[in-house]
Amino acid sequence: MQVKLASSYGFCFGVKRAIKIAESYENSATMGPLIHNQNEIDRLKNNFNVGLYNSLSEVKKDDTVIIRTHGIPKDELRNLKKNKDAKVINATCPFVTTPQQIVKKMSKENYSILIFGDSTHPEVKGVKSYGEDQEDVHVVMSVKDLDKINFKYDKIATVAQTTKKKEVYLEIVNALILKNKEVRVFNTICDATFENQDAARDLSKEVDIMIVIGGKNSSNTKQLHAICLENCSDSYLIENSKELEKQWFKDKKICGITAGASTPDWIIQEVVNKVEEYNENF
């Protein structure tokens, strides 16, 4: 069985940057999980004593607190800086900061705001918080969701969660343009997402089994898995090599491997090694 890696996979710029920041601040803590990969979070804890806070109430005086790559809501960030004698290090990905600032600016200019994304995702919660009128900041996952929305203004500004599929965003944008007087469209889906998705799509057409490595609560990894399933029904989402099952590979000729933007190289290599080990034993 041949093992092929996607032409683009794994850590994106924002995650690499956040990991480097966390490694630079030993004995600190992140506000929320730094990235969507528990194995890497465990490594940071074990090697650099980087802890995890889930609420402001956990922060103590003189703590060093690192803001997660997905960002946090505006009020939480302000209160953290204002009410706690803590050192705040902002590791929010610059590609996430961009839609935050767009929403802030456009809502001040009396545009209704539409966010394409998952309303429960921390990135979207953070971006939404920058709207001036929270009742006029709307989050949708598909074109169908637009029917439920009453915009305050006849001017719409739209942004997207950085890890969403561009094809769905285009559908939403086209529907908005047909029904509204003015639509300002900001493409905030990051290039790394495009590249990883396109590479996964291409590779999944060539193989008879596809392994997608990443956190199961990671939006971009779940998107990769969904894309692979479109072309390869034997596509599996795993977090690490322990989740591989030998019988998946029986009678397979080509195994494709890709990984989400929060998946470190050491986990990817462990998966590759185990797949090749299976290959030798068939």
Side-chain angles (χ1 to χ4, degrees):
M1 180 182 66
Q2 183 182 3
V3 178
K4 296 183 70 174
L5 283 163
S7 60
S8 177
Y9 62 88
F11 270 178
C12 63
F13 160 77
V15 170
K16 288 179 180 177
R17 173 178 173 271
I19 294 296
K20 186 175 181 180
I21 289 172
E23 290 177 344
S24 300
Y25 289 93
E26 292 190 43
N27 307 311
S28 62
T30 63
M31 183 55 65
L34 184 69
I35 62 174
H36 276 156
N37 190 287
Q38 189 59 48
N39 293 278
E40 184 65 6
I41 289 170
D42 291 343
R43 185 189 72 84
L44 289 172
K45 174 62 177 176
N46 294 332
N47 294 355
F48 299 91
N49 196 32
V50 176
L52 170 64
Y53 291 149
N54 288 305
S55 70
L56 294 181
S57 62
E58 298 177 66
V59 180
K60 299 179 287 294
K61 185 178 179 180
D62 298 327
D63 277 352
T64 297
V65 182
I66 302 171
I67 306 302
R68 61 189 301 167
T69 51
H70 297 109
I72 61 176
K74 179 178 67 173
D75 289 347
E76 288 186 18
L77 180 59
R78 181 172 60 238
N79 289 336
L80 179 61
K81 291 179 176 179
K82 180 179 178 181
N83 299 330
K84 297 287 184 180
D85 293 321
K87 182 177 182 180
V88 179
I89 309 298
N90 200 338
T92 303
C93 173
F95 291 112
V96 173
T97 305
T98 296
Q100 290 177 350
Q101 296 308 309
I102 290 170
V103 168
K104 179 179 179 181
K105 179 177 185 293
M106 300 310 293
S107 61
K108 283 183 177 180
E109 295 178 12
N110 294 328
Y111 280 78
S112 293
I113 304 298
L114 184 83
I115 303 170
F116 166 45
D118 178 356
S119 61
T120 65
H121 193 280
E123 176 189 328
V124 175
K125 288 180 179 179
V127 172
K128 184 177 186 291
S129 72
Y130 281 80
E132 292 290 304
D133 180 356
Q134 286 295 294
E135 292 186 1
D136 199 33
V137 181
H138 311 274
V139 182
V140 300
M141 284 286 283
S142 68
V143 171
K144 293 178 182 178
D145 294 336
L146 293 175
D147 295 335
K148 309 170 189 174
I149 296 176
N150 291 314
F151 293 111
K152 184 176 180 179
Y153 302 106
D154 58 4
K155 303 187 301 180
I156 315 296
T158 179
V159 297
Q161 185 177 337
T162 54
T163 53
K164 285 300 180 185
K165 291 175 71 173
K166 56 187 176 182
E167 295 87 355
V168 180
Y169 190 35
L170 285 172
E171 290 177 4
I172 292 168
V173 167
N174 288 336
L176 285 173
I177 289 172
L178 291 173
K179 293 183 178 181
N180 295 278
K181 182 178 179 181
E182 180 182 346
V183 180
R184 294 285 302 276
V185 180
F186 297 89
N187 180 10
T188 53
I189 300 175
C190 73
D191 291 340
T193 298
F194 284 145
E195 292 167 3
N196 284 2
Q197 289 180 355
D198 288 345
R201 184 178 292 107
D202 291 343
L203 182 57
S204 64
K205 294 174 182 178
E206 303 175 14
V207 303
D208 46 11
I209 180 172
M210 193 79 192
I211 303 298
V212 182
I213 315 164
K216 291 178 182 175
N217 60 341
S218 164
S219 175
N220 79 83
T221 303
K222 288 188 287 187
Q223 290 283 1
L224 288 175
H225 185 221
I227 288 169
C228 292
L229 281 170
E230 292 172 3
N231 303 302
C232 178
S233 58
D234 287 330
S235 293
Y236 301 92
L237 172 56
I238 64 169
E239 294 198 345
N240 53 55
S241 62
K242 295 177 182 177
E243 297 182 9
L244 289 168
E245 296 185 25
K246 187 175 181 179
Q247 63 266 27
W248 293 349
F249 304 92
K250 188 175 181 180
D251 299 325
K252 302 298 184 185
K253 296 181 179 179
I254 307 177
C255 171
I257 295 178
T258 188
S262 297
T263 308
D265 288 343
W266 62 271
I267 291 180
I268 298 169
Q269 190 58 54
E270 285 182 355
V271 170
V272 171
N273 292 344
K274 194 162 186 178
V275 171
E276 290 179 341
E277 184 181 308
Y278 286 152
N279 191 28
E280 293 173 0
N281 294 328
F282 275 125

